[in-house]
């Protein structure tokens, strides 16, 4: 893999991060949005599995390393400005969100309030052995 070519057109922000969107390759539903640093993007391209950078934990991680809900990357795209990456992925276990839902986008604005419209497929305690605070 040519790392220089991979990173050349990516415009990382002042913290060295780029927005990364995971979209289901079959349904095209947006499953999650996270951040990548150069190392995470390189690991994603090299392994074919989504890697991200956690701003809260200050470390790189592979999606599914704790939950088993990995994301196999079928296609990696860069937007026109170079400041966002979108990945068409195959979501292992059908769960992308740490809350146990298919997608992190499970709330819909309707009638002046946010409504939860997606069911929990597996609770956090079952997935991780604890809940995220």
């Amino acid at each position: 893999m040519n790392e220089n070519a991979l990173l050349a057109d990516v415009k990382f922000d002042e913290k060295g991060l780029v927005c990364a969107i995971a979209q289901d390759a079959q349904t095209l539903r947006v499953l999650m949005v996270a951040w990548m640093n150069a190392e995470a993007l390189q690991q994603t391209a090299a392994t074919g599995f989504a890697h991200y950078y956690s701003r809260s934990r200050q470390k790189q991680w592979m999606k599914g390393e704790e939950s088993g809900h990995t994301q196999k990357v079928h296609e990696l795209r860069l937007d026109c400005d170079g400041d966002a990456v979108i990945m068409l992925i195959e979501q292992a276990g059908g769960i992308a969100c740490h809350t146990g839902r298919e997608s992190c986008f499970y709330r819909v604005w309707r009638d002046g309030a946010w409504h939860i419209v997606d069911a929990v497929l597996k609770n956090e305690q079952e997935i991780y052995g604890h809940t995220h605070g």
Side-chain angles (χ1 to χ4, degrees), residues 52-124:
Y52 299 102
Y53 182 80
S54 170
R55 296 176 298 170
S56 60
R57 293 179 287 163
Q58 298 284 301
K59 71 171 201 152
Q60 182 190 323
W61 59 285
M62 185 181 104
K63 176 66 176 168
E65 66 187 16
E66 288 183 43
S67 66
H69 300 143
T70 57
Q71 294 176 339
K72 182 176 182 185
V73 178
H74 291 271
E75 187 171 88
L76 191 58
R77 289 180 175 238
L78 184 64
D79 82 332
C80 59
D81 294 324
D83 61 2
V85 171
I86 192 164
M87 298 171 292
L88 293 180
I89 60 103
E90 180 182 331
Q91 180 64 60
I95 297 172
C97 186
H98 77 276
T99 65
R101 292 176 174 88
E102 174 189 15
S103 171
C104 294
F105 297 92
Y106 59 87
R107 294 179 280 194
V108 174
W109 181 258
R110 187 176 19 201
D111 302 322
W114 289 107
H115 297 271
I116 295 173
V117 295
D118 292 356
V120 172
L121 302 176
K122 193 174 187 181
N123 73 47
E124 288 181 72

Side-chain angles (χ1 to χ4, degrees), residues 12 16-20 34-42 44 49-53 73 76 85 87:
F12 294 96
L17 303 174
V18 66
C19 178
W35 297 93
M36 289 181 166
N37 59 9
E39 182 182 0
L41 183 55
Q42 290 167 328
T44 298
F49 286 89
H51 287 70
Y52 299 102
Y53 182 80
V73 178
L76 191 58
V85 171
M87 298 171 292

